[in-house]
């Protein structure tokens, strides 16, 4: 089933303790759609400037990602993010942000995208996310991501969004910020009580937690000894998760747990190189092989 | 099979953001032996002062823990630790340490303890741990814990210890300190290459990782919404793990993974109240019920 993602498309400069990359392909909707493309057909809505290298669009198209909703604005520049990872490769600081064309992003969905049954609202202003929801004609499953900035500065819109979506994906510090609760189990359920049927808390190198009315569980990250660049891991997680759900056309508890596992594994590839470099070199088979190892790891 | 533990026996004062307790039963050998007692018969070697409340000994004896190796030194005071947990309940600061009688602890094993097939050297000076090993007549399985202090100040003795034990249990920051490696998968294997056949890295609320020559895996912590006091969680983990191995008389890879899971679950009870309060109110049945839930959580 087709899966629609609306979010940022960016050029990133990334510093890690060992290596750096300048102006590489990035953005939440890019990582999400590339990860999801292993499971289902993906439609991307985003905006870039005239500095956008067309080969990046070609790369997305090579995985059958529909980029007809990617607007190129002449005379403008693409969203740019520069960040630096601390030696633990989990914490990072943002060195520079140029919103550029993304600052005025008012997504207008192509007519044939509006009936998409699966929707992911990648991290963005809750007002914009609500605006996208308004354009949709009743998706079967709508899931959103958010971040500290919106929790702090657009709290009311975020609350409105939470009452209208099926699932929310956020990281551990954001869940604590949103609820004022330090215990992640309590925080997860408190976020769920704000509206969504399920909540996923991403814990970076420590995996992800799932909360629904009747279930609470944690899946660990896949242990990889090669972590070159964690950028995009969270969006790749969401892409693997939503991609699997769209493929299955099902979001039963069983399917959701499988989706969580696929999210974990898709993200485990992303961190093994900069940008999409690692994902570009895998096929679905490799995700399945890692799935077998992961299942074995969790069996006793 | 009998399991011998040598380590600290203490009185702790613990502050958490919500509650505090003064002079409660604590110490690595206490948490370890109480946790292990659900699985096997335990022999404890330690030292206390004349301020030691005899009811603490009674409590240990009530779970068939052999305290004939617990020396009471007249005129001296018991090891005292005072700590304060930060709001995240994972990080803590030590406010006060009075080594007292533990400062000169030279464990002398009772004759019938020396042939114990399973040995746990709880956190202590590697010199002392080596001295205990010297008194043993070839245990089947010897596992040790350590800490940052010994990694920094008794590095050579620690290296000597590592070449003589089967397993080492340490926490994530200690593994990074010992190896200078930030990636825990690499760090775990590097510690293993220093001598022990297997290494366990404890990650607190994020579970534990296991490393042997042929295996690398992570098990998440059991998600509990009630974390009153994390003190002793690591020692309870080790107690559950070693207790299960001693019960099984087996440390095959299959048995070791089950032991890791029992360690995780035993620790999940410890944190639900101060000192041994929560463990005092459970029976083996409750660990088994939690094991069923944990297995279900990790199945997909």
């Amino acid at each position: 089933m087709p899966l629609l993602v609306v979010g940022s498309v960016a050029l990133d400069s990334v510093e890690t303790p060992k290596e750096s990359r300048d102006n590489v392909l990035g953005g939440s909707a890019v990582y999400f759609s590339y990860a999801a493309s292993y499971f289902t057909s993906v439609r991307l809505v985003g905006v870039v400037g005239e500095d956008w290298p067309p080969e990046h669009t070609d790369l997305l198209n090579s995985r059958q990602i529909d980029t007809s909703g990617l607007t190129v604005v002449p005379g403008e520049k693409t969203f740019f993010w520069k960040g630096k990872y601390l030696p633990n490769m989990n914490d990072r600081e943002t060195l520079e942000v140029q919103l550029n064309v993304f600052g005025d992003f008012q997504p207008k969905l192509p007519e044939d995208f509006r009936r998409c049954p699966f929707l992911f609202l990648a991290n963005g202003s809750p007002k914009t996310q609500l605006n996208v929801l308004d354009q949709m004609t009743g998706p079967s499953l709508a899931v959103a991501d958010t971040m500290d900035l919106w929790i702090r500065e657009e709290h009311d819109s975020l609350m409105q969004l939470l009452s209208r979506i099926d699932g929310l994906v956020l990281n551990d510090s954001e869940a604590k910020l949103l609820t004022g609760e330090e215990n992640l189990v309590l925080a997860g359920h408190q976020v769920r009580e704000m509206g969504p049927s399920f909540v996923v808390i991403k814990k970076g190198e420590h995996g992800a937690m799932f909360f629904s009315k009747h279930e609470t569980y944690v899946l660990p990250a896949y242990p990889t000894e090669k972590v070159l660049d964690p950028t995009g891991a969270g969006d790749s997680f969401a892409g693997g998760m939503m991609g699997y759900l769209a493929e299955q056309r099902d979001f039963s508890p069983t399917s959701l747990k499988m989706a969580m596992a696929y999210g974990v594994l898709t993200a485990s590839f992303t961190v093994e190189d900069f940008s999409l470099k690692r994902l570009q070199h895998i096929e679905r088979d490799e995700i399945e092989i890692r799935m077998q190892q992961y299942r074995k790891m969790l069996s006793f």
Side-chain angles (χ1 to χ4, degrees), chain A:
Chain A
M1 283 243 176
L3 167 59
L4 172 64
V5 56
V6 183
S8 66
V9 178
L11 296 173
D12 292 342
S13 286
V14 180
E15 286 180 23
T16 75
K18 287 182 182 157
E19 293 182 66
S20 299
R21 293 290 184 280
D22 281 325
N23 283 300
V24 294
L25 176 57
S28 58
V30 167
Y31 280 107
F32 179 93
S33 56
Y34 206 91
S37 74
Y38 290 94
F39 302 92
T40 196
S41 60
V42 184
R43 296 164 178 184
L44 181 156
V45 170
V47 65
V48 291
E50 68 177 18
D51 57 344
W52 177 250
E55 54 267 33
H56 287 345
T57 304
D58 297 343
L59 178 70
L60 298 172
N61 294 154
S62 74
R63 290 217 48 94
Q64 280 72 52
I65 296 164
D66 182 339
T67 55
S68 61
L70 181 64
T71 309
V72 184
V73 182
E76 297 268 0
K77 287 183 74 183
T78 303
F79 176 38
F80 175 77
W81 175 81
K82 184 175 183 172
K84 180 182 177 172
Y85 286 87
L86 304 188
N88 69 15
M89 292 297 274
N90 217 27
D91 300 316
R92 71 182 184 192
E93 47 182 307
T94 292
L95 300 177
E96 192 180 340
V97 174
Q98 297 173 17
L99 283 178
N100 296 328
V101 72
F102 190 63
D104 304 315
F105 183 40
Q106 297 291 347
K108 190 168 181 314
L109 306 189
E111 196 56 39
D112 58 329
F113 281 19
R114 299 180 183 215
R115 284 180 305 277
C116 227
F118 287 81
L119 170 68
F120 186 70
L121 300 160
N123 178 24
S125 143
K127 287 196 180 74
T128 307
Q129 292 173 316
L130 281 165
N131 178 282
V132 171
L133 261 186
D134 287 337
Q135 296 176 55
M136 299 290 292
T137 54
S140 308
L141 187 76
V143 176
D145 194 351
T146 194
M147 73 184 289
D148 50 359
L149 178 69
W150 316 123
I151 294 170
R152 284 204 186 88
E153 300 190 3
E154 292 196 19
H155 193 266
D156 291 353
S157 300
L158 180 60
M159 288 299 119
Q160 212 183 321
L161 179 78
L162 291 183
S163 71
R164 291 183 56 190
I165 54 175
D166 302 293
L168 182 73
V169 174
L170 75 178
N171 73 31
D172 44 5
S173 63
E174 292 157 358
K176 291 179 181 182
L177 179 67
L178 180 55
T179 59
E181 173 57 57
E182 286 283 337
N183 180 296
L184 286 177
V185 180
L186 291 174
H189 284 293
Q190 284 178 22
V191 177
R192 190 182 54 72
E193 283 162 12
M194 293 172 184
S197 305
F198 68 87
V199 172
V200 175
I201 297 182
K202 298 173 288 182
K203 302 198 297 172
E205 64 167 323
H206 302 301
M209 305 178 85
F210 178 91
F211 305 90
S212 67
K213 192 163 184 184
H214 302 292
E215 279 193 304
T216 304
Y217 56 79
V218 192
L219 294 181
Y222 182 85
T224 175
E225 56 189 58
K226 196 179 171 192
V227 180
L228 278 194
D229 174 17
T231 310
D235 296 307
S236 303
F237 167 86
M241 183 187 86
M242 289 293 289
Y244 178 80
L245 292 172
E247 179 189 48
Q248 299 300 307
R249 307 168 182 220
D250 170 31
F251 34 92
S252 63
T254 309
S255 190
L256 276 162
K257 196 186 269 187
M258 281 294 293
M260 286 277 291
Y262 275 110
V264 162
L265 298 178
T266 313
S268 77
F269 284 104
T270 298
V271 303
E272 292 181 350
D273 205 338
F274 285 86
S275 185
L276 291 175
K277 291 294 176 204
R278 183 69 180 100
L279 283 183
Q280 277 173 248
H281 292 99
I282 65 162
E283 296 295 331
R284 173 74 178 260
D285 282 1
E286 283 159 270
I287 300 177
E288 296 303 334
I289 290 168
R290 204 164 270 196
M291 176 60 92
Q292 285 171 22
Q293 293 163 338
Y294 189 59
R295 277 179 188 281
K296 193 177 160 215
M297 175 181 115
L298 297 177
S299 302
F300 46 84

